[in-house]
Amino acid sequence: MTDKLARASLVALGVVVLYAVVAPMLAPAAWHEVSLAAARRAPSWAHWFGTDNAGRDLFVRVALGLRVSLLIAVVCALVSTVLGVLVGTIAAAAGGVVDSVLMRFTDATNALPHLLLGIVIVAFFPGNLVAIIASISLTHWPQVARIVRSVALTTHRMEFVDAAYLTGASRGFVVARHLIPAAAGQAAVALVLLLPHAIWHESTLSFLGLGLAPDRASLGTLLAISRGEVLIGGWWTLAFPALALVVTTLAVSGVARALRHRFAPQALARVA
Amino acid sequence: MDTLTAAGLVAGRRARRRREVRGLVGRRLLWTVPLLVMISLGLFVLADASPFDPLVGYLGDRYQFTSTAQREAITAALQLDQGWWSAWTAWLADVALGDLGHSRSYAMPVASVVAERLPWTLLLSATGLVIAVALGLAGGLVAAFRPGSWVDRVASGLALIAQAVPPFVLALAAVVVGALALGWFPAGGARPVVGAVTWVGVAHHLVLPALVLGVSQTPWLLLTVRAEATEALASDPVRGAVTRGVGWAQVVRGHVLPAALVPLVTLVGVRLPELIVGAVLVEEVFAWPGLAAALVTSARTLDLPLLAFLTVTSTALVLLGSLLADLAYLAIDPRVRADD
């Protein structure tokens, strides 16, 4: 059952990525252009997903939006994971006051409502890609840090770590050579689990008009445009970006769940 | 204390429990106040670092038609030119004295904005929560009773898929179907544009947003209730009771429902941020005149007094929620220790 689901998710994810990468390259140049004569066309053989309010082909726009959303999600998940691994392993290796201060800070960050902070940060720096990525990354590392710390603590008590210290290794060496490799598997699973969250955050921020500028295609900005379009009958401007968002999220979550099942049955229950 | 008798043991344990709980509440509250102060400080620092001129947020389109002299006069009048330190300390001192400041985007005191909008947010969130709990409990229990049946598959499958649908997509879909295609409900607002505010009118406007908010919170609840109830149904006490001939109604009341209600306790604490975010999105799409929509407006226009108040209070709410959830856990499960 899980295997079948995992395989289906992997295939779906492959199709989504392939579509995002290839569709804009194969499409005729005219499909990228603003053309008011072709605006607000319903789906047809000429335009599979219809056209938007400026006459751009939505089959291409959705693919471009997927590219941006996936890219932002991957960068955010990477940054959060790196931050979490660093905090978790350093806390485990240092112990004592450093450990409890770092973990208090982690708990405090984790207790904050993520998206709320995201809205605030992005509102202050409108349309700034770095602000969007920072607002997502800076709120999602605590869960990774907690998991990594628990793995690193176990490793830190192992005899080979004692041996390393006895031969004169520094804490930095132990973190880099022993703790981080030991936590790498968990961190990888956490990274994949963070992807759907990041996609959601970006699209939500852009939907609220706080993320990317409206003319930059992302799943969020496309859905923000559809907010006005559905009121005058343009259901396809909502249906296709939403479908892309839901299929991508389901596929990534499916892959993440399979990975967790395989590599980290218990530890990651909280991240999802 | 007499620790040799059973009554003495229980009394001792109770006393230790009370100490634990007091310690937990004290520690958390001690942490909460500095955390909230730090958040407000961060907010003012970020606002100062922002390249976005709060005057543009205040004036909107009028900014272009305002002369430089006028701009300077307004900036001075609104005290927009002070640095983050003096702005923050002034705000903090005012708040400490009970003055929440003046909202620039709504042109009225922050306290009035909150007083005007809080009831609408409470109405929407409470109705949404009731719908979520009703759907989650009913769906989860039905699915748990017939695991693998088509009812279970449809309920669990729908919940899994719905988990991947963001609330704002759900809200837009509800507008398309409920307001445009069927025309049964209004597409936005909380009351008729003209005429008196009536209960029927408000209820009519409430249906779509409350449904969307409720349904968006249902999947997680349904899946958790299903898991807990399935486990309870397969447990020895339930099998024993069924074998002894105890009726199903009593088994459900005595064993299954208590187990399925545990997720409701966590709902208060752990899911509060999701509920707040859901409310933000639903209020935004349906133009619901609540606090969550005011949060987005204040963020967009850099209306710092209102934004700071709403951010700090919602963070406080979230922290309070997680404390309540932990306390409820302590009350339900005697094995849980309160030493964090």
Side-chain angles (χ1 to χ4, degrees):
Chain A
M1 176 63 198
T2 335
D3 239 28
K4 232 195 272 176
L5 203 69
R7 226 169 294 156
S9 306
L10 212 61
V11 170
L13 189 61
V15 170
V16 165
V17 172
L18 192 74
Y19 160 62
V21 172
V22 173
M25 295 194 294
L26 295 183
W31 287 14
H32 294 269
E33 299 294 321
V34 170
S35 148
L36 292 179
R40 300 197 169 107
R41 296 260 175 86
S44 63
W45 275 116
H47 298 286
W48 291 355
F49 288 3
T51 62
D52 69 0
N53 54 347
R56 287 168 295 198
D57 178 79
L58 272 173
F59 188 69
V60 172
R61 294 287 285 172
V62 171
L64 289 173
L66 260 175
R67 279 185 185 181
V68 173
S69 293
L70 284 174
L71 206 65
I72 292 179
V74 169
V75 172
C76 290
L78 267 176
V79 175
S80 311
T81 310
V82 169
L83 274 177
V85 168
L86 283 180
V87 172
T89 49
I90 289 173
V97 182
V98 178
D99 183 25
S100 48
V101 167
L102 277 179
M103 280 302 116
R104 276 292 160 190
F105 183 59
T106 307
D107 284 347
T109 315
N110 201 24
L112 306 175
H114 296 165
L115 197 65
L116 212 64
L117 285 197
I119 289 174
V120 171
I121 296 176
V122 175
F124 289 158
F125 304 93
N128 187 335
L129 198 61
V130 178
I132 297 170
I133 291 172
S135 82
I136 302 172
S137 311
L138 293 182
T139 46
H140 280 78
W141 59 267
Q143 297 129 318
V144 185
R146 288 222 136 264
I147 300 151
V148 167
R149 176 175 168 272
S150 69
V151 177
L153 271 181
T154 320
T155 315
H156 200 241
R157 280 194 290 268
M158 298 268 187
E159 282 173 358
F160 62 85
V161 173
D162 288 340
Y165 280 129
L166 280 176
T167 53
S170 66
R171 283 193 196 278
F173 179 87
V174 168
V175 166
R177 289 301 276 279
H178 293 309
L179 300 191
I180 290 181
Q186 302 272 15
V189 178
L191 188 136
V192 182
L193 279 170
L194 281 174
L195 284 174
H197 280 254
I199 295 174
W200 267 50
H201 268 236
E202 184 279 322
S203 59
T204 306
L205 290 174
S206 297
F207 176 77
L208 288 174
L210 296 165
L212 291 169
D215 59 323
R216 288 270 285 280
S218 89
L219 292 179
T221 56
L222 289 176
L223 287 165
I225 292 172
S226 86
R227 209 183 140 181
E229 293 298 304
V230 291
L231 293 178
I232 50 173
W235 57 268
W236 57 92
T237 59
L238 168 65
F240 294 108
L243 189 71
L245 182 61
V246 172
V247 169
T248 312
T249 320
L250 277 178
V252 177
S253 321
V255 172
R257 212 170 294 161
L259 277 178
R260 180 175 68 189
H261 198 73
R262 198 118 175 221
F263 295 113
Q266 293 299 321
L268 286 162
R270 285 205 45 178
V271 177
Chain B
M1 191 181 300
D2 178 14
T3 51
L4 293 177
T5 63
L9 261 179
V10 169
R13 215 170 273 166
R14 286 232 178 98
R16 203 182 65 207
R17 195 58 154 190
R18 271 198 297 276
R19 270 201 308 281
E20 275 181 18
V21 169
R22 263 203 301 275
L24 175 75
V25 173
R27 267 199 313 276
R28 288 286 183 86
L29 291 185
L30 224 79
W31 259 100
T32 304
V33 175
L35 188 64
L36 294 179
V37 172
M38 290 307 290
I39 286 178
S40 70
L41 174 64
L43 215 60
F44 277 82
V45 171
L46 274 178
D48 198 42
S50 163
F52 186 41
D53 185 356
L55 200 60
V56 179
Y58 177 66
L59 292 173
D61 291 340
R62 287 170 297 171
Y63 184 80
Q64 296 163 33
F65 313 117
T66 315
S67 71
T68 319
Q70 278 172 317
R71 281 182 199 168
E72 276 165 10
I74 299 170
T75 306
L78 294 175
Q79 294 182 311
L80 294 177
D81 47 354
Q82 47 182 343
W84 58 267
W85 178 253
S86 51
W88 179 62
T89 45
W91 178 80
L92 210 59
D94 280 350
V95 169
L97 292 174
D99 176 12
L100 298 179
H102 194 83
S103 159
R104 297 196 284 266
S105 51
Y106 290 96
M108 58 168 99
V110 169
S112 314
V113 176
V114 174
E116 202 171 86
R117 291 175 164 258
L118 183 63
W120 292 110
T121 293
L122 287 180
L123 176 68
L124 177 61
S125 320
T127 319
L129 205 56
V130 168
I131 293 174
V133 168
L135 285 178
L137 261 185
L141 283 179
V142 168
F145 269 108
R146 299 261 176 282
S149 70
W150 67 268
V151 185
D152 177 28
R153 280 195 206 165
V154 168
S156 311
L158 273 182
L160 276 175
I161 293 173
Q163 250 181 343
V165 182
F168 61 90
V169 169
L170 211 59
L172 285 178
V175 169
V176 170
V177 175
L180 298 174
L182 298 174
W184 289 352
F185 303 105
R191 53 189 159 194
V193 181
V194 284
V197 180
T198 59
W199 282 108
V200 180
V202 170
H204 193 216
H205 282 76
L206 182 63
V207 173
L208 282 185
L211 261 182
V212 169
L213 190 59
V215 169
S216 73
Q217 304 300 320
T218 301
W220 172 84
L221 193 62
L222 189 149
L223 293 173
T224 323
V225 167
R226 179 184 175 277
E228 298 283 343
T230 312
E231 200 178 314
L233 278 172
S235 69
D236 290 342
V238 167
R239 245 185 283 157
V242 173
T243 324
R244 286 198 309 278
V246 177
W248 271 112
Q250 209 175 337
V251 169
V252 169
R253 226 178 311 128
H255 293 288
V256 183
L257 217 51
L261 284 175
V262 173
L264 295 188
V265 172
T266 48
L267 177 84
V268 182
V270 187
R271 300 295 287 192
L272 206 58
E274 272 85 351
L275 191 69
I276 292 178
V277 168
V280 168
L281 292 166
V282 170
E283 287 192 6
E284 175 71 15
V285 172
F286 286 100
W288 188 260
L291 277 179
L295 179 82
V296 178
T297 307
S298 67
R300 271 201 207 122
T301 55
L302 273 195
D303 180 0
L304 209 47
L306 183 58
L307 182 62
F309 175 75
L310 290 178
T311 316
V312 168
T313 30
S314 41
T315 310
L317 260 180
V318 169
L319 294 174
L320 190 71
S322 78
L323 175 62
L324 284 179
D326 287 347
L327 289 180
Y329 262 140
L330 280 175
I332 291 174
D333 193 339
R335 290 166 306 181
V336 178
R337 295 289 302 270
D339 37 13
D340 247 343

